[in-house]
Amino acid sequence: MRRFSAEYLEHTRRGMWTDGRAALADLDLSNRRRVLDVGCGTGELTRVLDAETGPDATVIGVDADPDLLRVAREETGLPYVVGDATRLPLPDDAVDLAVCQALLINLPDPVVAVREFARVSSDLVAAIEPDNADVTVSSSVASEERLEREARGAYLEGVDTDVALGDRVREAFAAAGMEDIRTRRYVHEKRVAAPYAEPALTAAARKASGAGLADHREELIAATSEREYDDLRRRWREMGREVVGEIEAGEYERVERVPFDVTVGRVM
């Protein structure tokens, strides 16, 4: 399983669910008593689950990375435990909902994890997974959309797990023995426009330095070559400098739409 930094998780999940939570309806959160957020990272979803459950409910996060859990505890004040998604440190039927967000796309065998979720849940299992092949970007910098598409295509080819899982999570749920499987789509829209907040300035600086692309260097080279990666990074940095220039002029605008499919199944 790939590991991510706290900064990366906070950047990619920032703002999720602030524009509406209708796609979470099938989780029946208001009637949950004990909820487990698996692969919780820095606790972005854990916080949402805690807000949507009743005052007597218990929401717990679990992640294999103690450093991420340290951030989660500091930022949310909720309980967390260290544990592997395929070997959860809980007894059978310990919760009535086990849920994950952007976890199965990083596992070599999602069915194994779903079966483990079903072991610890007495009722529902849910997975909120992106379809990274269906991401769209529009930008006032003409080259940004083209380069994003080129980099995304190479990443999808070079990564060793199915990061475009999306609504095909249903297949993993069926293979794990779930019943009454339902899916709703949520589109996480991220907009950048003047006046620019600190995260937008940081993202622009990372584009100009090539740091953002370098986060996925291994996967990009696996799909292309070192020479092609270096050429892509050169063009990426040029694009980043254009972004910085437009920000300085107050003219930069960007919209990114990432589709997430919320799949819910009942334990048999």
Side-chain angles (χ1 to χ4, degrees):
M1 177 180 172
R2 293 190 303 281
R3 297 297 179 90
F4 300 98
S5 68
E7 291 77 12
Y8 176 84
L9 293 179
E10 290 174 347
H11 168 70
T12 56
R13 301 183 186 185
R14 182 180 295 115
M16 277 197 71
W17 308 114
T18 59
D19 54 350
R21 297 174 181 177
L24 298 176
D26 291 328
L27 277 65
D28 192 23
L29 290 170
S30 63
N31 291 314
R32 298 296 107 194
R33 302 294 297 175
R34 288 181 64 82
V35 178
L36 181 68
D37 179 10
V38 186
C40 62
T42 50
E44 284 81 4
L45 178 63
T46 324
R47 184 187 291 110
V48 172
L49 298 171
D50 183 63
E52 294 297 316
T53 51
D56 296 328
T58 300
V59 179
I60 304 170
V62 60
D63 199 282
D65 191 328
D67 292 333
L68 296 181
L69 293 184
R70 189 174 304 113
V71 175
R73 290 189 185 99
E74 291 174 356
E75 295 191 354
T76 71
L78 296 169
Y80 296 91
V81 294
V82 178
D84 189 306
T86 62
R87 296 186 300 276
L88 292 170
L90 279 79
D92 295 356
D93 301 332
V95 299
D96 55 14
L97 169 65
V99 58
C100 67
Q101 178 171 280
L103 171 70
L104 301 184
I105 59 168
N106 297 308
L107 300 179
D109 190 347
V111 177
V112 172
V114 176
R115 287 191 180 121
E116 181 67 353
F117 296 178
R119 179 187 68 78
V120 302
S121 178
S122 63
D123 191 14
L124 297 182
V125 169
I128 304 164
E129 298 294 328
D131 181 351
N132 285 304
D134 201 21
V135 175
T136 61
V137 172
S138 59
S139 171
S140 57
V141 173
S143 61
E144 184 169 15
E145 182 177 349
R146 182 180 68 254
L147 287 172
E148 288 261 9
R149 187 166 54 248
E150 180 181 344
R152 186 176 303 107
Y155 176 76
L156 290 171
E157 183 180 343
V159 72
D160 58 2
T161 61
D162 188 354
V163 295
L165 201 55
D167 63 356
R168 287 182 292 105
V169 169
R170 296 178 64 93
E171 300 170 14
F173 273 45
M178 298 289 98
E179 62 179 14
D180 188 23
I181 301 169
R182 291 149 287 162
T183 300
R184 297 177 187 245
R185 174 154 283 203
Y186 166 75
V187 178
H188 180 30
E189 184 172 280
K190 295 183 277 188
R191 290 183 172 270
V192 176
Y196 306 104
E198 186 60 35
L201 301 177
T202 300
R206 284 174 59 79
K207 285 186 176 75
S209 69
L213 199 69
D215 286 342
H216 305 295
R217 180 180 184 276
E218 181 179 338
E219 292 86 0
L220 294 172
I221 289 178
T224 56
S225 67
E226 288 200 28
R227 180 185 61 79
E228 290 173 302
Y229 167 77
D230 288 341
D231 178 65
L232 174 61
R233 189 162 186 249
R234 175 186 59 77
R235 290 181 286 129
W236 189 274
R237 293 172 67 185
E238 290 174 357
M239 175 269 289
R241 288 192 287 271
E242 287 188 61
V243 169
V244 170
E246 285 202 3
I247 284 179
E248 291 174 347
E251 299 172 350
Y252 180 64
E253 294 185 357
R254 180 181 191 273
V255 180
E256 179 181 10
R257 296 179 177 89
V258 184
F260 284 79
D261 287 290
V262 182
T263 303
V264 180
R266 195 169 301 279
V267 179
M268 297 180 64

